[in-house]
């Protein structure tokens, strides 16, 4: 024999549930009005001018395969498998967040990457990502031991005398330096 029980909620519980639903809908409406404007401000601040370091790399930009290619060209880009560069070591060096980037040759270098200019071909995780236009910046990364411990968490860097700048000068940075 099956017994069915009915539970009746008190009035104050129903009132709290109804008020919380109304408040949630109100917060959603307010957020939908504010967030698009904030996102447009974010996009405007993170856009890099055409022809600058950190912009989206088109087909005319040289595709570097190894460290020798990086050193022999003024500007270049790198094709990364998916978001593999985000899954390696990373750390802060002089206020910049540098990733450990695997070049197609398998060599490891440090790179500061403008995530707003990365172009994904195919699947986000398994497709290829064309990184922004970059250039070499000479720096002694070995000076900061804490940074090296962070970025070399899984694999050591092949070169510690430079990093790749793929951010350039964002409009937000340019305004802060005025």
């Amino acid at each position: 024999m099956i017994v069915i029980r009915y539970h009746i909620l008190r009035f104050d519980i129903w009132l709290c549930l109804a008020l919380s639903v109304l408040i949630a809908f109100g917060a959603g409406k307010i957020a939908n009005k504010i967030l698009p404007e904030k996102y447009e401000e974010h996009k405007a601040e993170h856009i890099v001018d055409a022809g600058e370091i950190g912009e989206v790399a088109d087909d005319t930009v040289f595709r570097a395969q190894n460290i020798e290619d990086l050193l022999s060209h003024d500007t270049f880009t790198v094709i990364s498998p998916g978001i593999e560069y985000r899954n390696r070591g990373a750390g802060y060096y002089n206020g910049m967040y540098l990733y450990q980037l695997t070049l197609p040759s398998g060599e490891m270098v440090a790179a500061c990457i403008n995530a707003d200019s990365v172009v994904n071909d195919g699947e986000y995780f398994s497709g290829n990502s064309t990184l922004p236009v970059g250039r070499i910046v000479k720096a002694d990364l070995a000076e900061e031991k804490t940074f090296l411990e962070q970025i070399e968490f899984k694999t050591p860097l092949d070169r510690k005398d430079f990093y790749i700048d793929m951010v350039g000068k964002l409009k937000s940075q340019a305004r802060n330096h005025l």
Side-chain angles (χ1 to χ4, degrees):
M1 177 172 179
I2 298 176
V3 178
I4 298 176
R5 290 189 171 183
Y6 291 100
H7 293 281
I8 300 174
L9 294 177
R10 297 184 330 231
F11 174 75
D12 59 336
I13 294 174
W14 282 109
L15 181 64
C16 287
L17 286 173
L19 287 176
S20 64
V21 167
L22 289 175
I23 290 171
F25 280 133
K29 291 286 186 190
I30 292 170
N32 284 336
K33 291 190 184 287
I34 294 172
L35 291 179
E37 296 170 10
K38 291 293 182 187
Y39 181 65
E40 291 302 320
E41 289 175 18
H42 169 81
K43 279 186 5 185
E45 289 177 354
H46 289 82
I47 290 175
V48 179
D49 292 330
E52 297 290 323
I53 301 299
E55 76 167 326
V56 175
D58 60 15
D59 292 336
T60 63
V61 180
F62 177 75
R63 267 60 171 156
Q65 299 294 316
N66 52 39
I67 292 176
E68 185 179 320
D69 288 349
L70 298 177
L71 296 172
S72 64
H73 290 80
D74 292 333
T75 60
F76 49 82
T77 188
V78 176
I79 307 297
S80 174
I83 57 168
E84 188 267 345
Y85 62 91
R86 290 180 179 239
N87 297 328
R88 297 213 163 260
Y92 283 97
Y93 176 79
N94 289 341
M96 298 173 293
Y97 194 68
L98 300 180
Y99 295 99
Q100 186 180 55
L101 175 63
T102 306
L103 298 174
S105 65
E107 297 168 303
M108 303 288 187
V109 294
C112 184
I113 301 171
N114 179 2
D116 293 323
S117 296
V118 174
V119 177
N120 296 312
D121 302 328
E123 291 292 319
Y124 181 70
F125 296 105
S126 61
N128 286 330
S129 295
T130 304
L131 301 181
V133 176
R135 67 180 169 91
I136 293 290
V137 176
K138 298 288 183 187
D140 186 11
L141 302 178
E143 286 180 341
E144 294 193 27
K145 300 295 182 204
T146 305
F147 165 71
L148 277 181
E149 289 173 4
Q150 293 171 347
I151 199 164
E152 293 184 332
F153 173 67
K154 293 182 179 180
T155 312
L157 295 173
D158 287 305
R159 294 287 294 266
K160 297 176 183 139
D161 60 334
F162 69 85
Y163 67 89
I164 301 173
D165 177 16
M166 292 184 166
V167 172
K169 191 174 246 185
L170 301 176
K171 290 183 180 179
S172 61
Q173 291 173 336
R175 189 176 8 174
N176 292 338
H177 286 61
L178 294 178

